[in-house]
Amino acid sequence: DTGVSQDPRHKITKRGQNVTFRCDPISEHNRLYWYRQTLGQGPEFLTYFQNEAQLEKSRLLSDRFSAERPKGSFSTLEIQRTEQGDSAMYLCASSSGLAGGQYFGPGTRLTVT
Amino acid sequence: GENVEQHPSTLSVQEGDSAVIKCTYSDSASNYFPWYKQELGKRPQLIIDIRSNVGEKKDQRIAVTLNKTAKHFSLHITETQPEDSAVYFCAASAFTGGGNKLTFGTGTQLKVEL
């Protein structure tokens, strides 16, 4: 499968714990995006990278969230001190070039208990 | 920032009929408008997109139209089939130096009935 992959697919954690998600984009794509989707809503933009540079962060992204793309390939999204409001589907997408369409991974469903 | 409104929230059609979903956007700088189909429990799937230099684009049974003056764009599905049943999201973005973050609409649940 040469599409976007994400790991894990599901994560259940207790409030206050830290979690980390991984995204592997389509290999030739230099842009990588993170979105969050809650039930019945469209995805909401969180942050994006061009190669290893993080170019923009949404105001939705509190200080507890951090994302990296150290070698311009895979990316990680970490949430520290999780809260119940963090429960959502975290989606990763990648694109090629400025005009390329964004292709989504299967997402990581986070449940904070 | 950009705001995208989408209507209707639910749409039920008979198999073989056409379906139309409409979106409006607020940021006149937006120049890229993709449509995604999301089946239950699956990832959003890019089905068609249009850029601001064209007014219409067609791909088999799917077409998208764009009216930049009125800031609205629409998805048209002809000869609907049961497998078209899904949630459809429109989105808008403005190309920047590094990428094109998408602002999504709230989705339309399309049900194609036999």
Side-chain angles (χ1 to χ4, degrees):
Chain A
D1 186 356
T2 56
V4 179
S5 61
Q6 292 186 246
D7 183 71
R9 297 290 305 277
H10 304 272
K11 179 70 176 179
I12 300 173
T13 191
K14 293 185 178 180
R15 188 175 52 189
Q17 297 295 304
N18 299 345
V19 294
T20 300
F21 310 142
R22 175 179 170 127
C23 170
D24 286 87
I26 294 171
S27 60
E28 64 268 23
H29 286 183
N30 63 342
R31 290 178 174 81
L32 186 148
Y33 306 78
W34 285 98
Y35 293 85
R36 179 170 64 190
Q37 186 176 28
T38 53
L39 199 61
Q41 300 297 316
E44 291 179 296
F45 169 77
L46 295 178
T47 188
Y48 75 75
F49 294 83
Q50 178 174 290
N51 300 314
E52 64 276 7
Q54 187 174 18
L55 296 185
E56 187 170 346
K57 292 174 62 174
S58 165
R59 292 170 201 159
L60 295 174
L61 220 60
S62 76
D63 292 343
R64 297 184 297 105
F65 288 70
S66 63
E68 293 183 338
R69 194 182 183 198
K71 296 182 180 179
S73 56
F74 72 92
S75 175
T76 59
L77 177 68
E78 181 183 18
I79 309 174
Q80 297 182 326
R81 305 182 302 282
T82 52
E83 301 173 356
Q84 287 189 321
D86 297 331
S87 295
M89 176 73 83
Y90 289 84
L91 292 163
C92 174
S94 69
S95 71
S96 172
L98 187 60
Q102 293 184 29
Y103 295 88
F104 282 85
T108 294
R109 180 166 295 284
L110 174 65
T111 302
V112 182
T113 63
Chain B
E2 176 66 278
N3 182 53
V4 177
E5 296 189 356
Q6 183 171 349
H7 300 280
S9 58
T10 60
L11 179 59
S12 185
V13 299
Q14 295 292 315
E15 183 180 9
D17 288 349
S18 295
V20 181
I21 302 170
K22 299 181 178 181
C23 289
T24 59
Y25 62 98
S26 62
D27 188 352
S28 57
S30 287
N31 54 16
Y32 174 66
F33 308 92
W35 286 87
Y36 287 84
K37 174 184 180 182
Q38 189 172 30
E39 297 175 78
L40 190 63
K42 300 286 184 65
R43 71 187 75 189
Q45 177 188 359
L46 178 64
I47 57 172
I48 195 167
D49 57 14
I50 191 168
R51 292 172 174 81
S52 59
N53 57 341
V54 298
E56 184 173 357
K57 183 177 178 180
K58 190 173 182 180
D59 183 3
Q60 299 182 352
R61 296 186 298 109
I62 295 174
V64 57
T65 59
L66 171 65
N67 183 327
K68 285 206 70 181
T69 303
K71 294 184 191 172
H72 66 70
F73 55 112
S74 301
L75 178 71
H76 305 252
I77 306 174
T78 59
E79 302 172 19
T80 53
Q81 301 168 3
E83 52 265 38
D84 294 330
S85 296
V87 179
Y88 290 81
F89 292 99
C90 64
S93 77
F95 287 128
T96 63
N100 53 325
K101 64 176 183 180
L102 299 175
T103 301
F104 284 82
T106 49
T108 296
Q109 174 75 61
L110 174 63
K111 183 177 181 181
V112 179
E113 299 177 333
L114 296 172

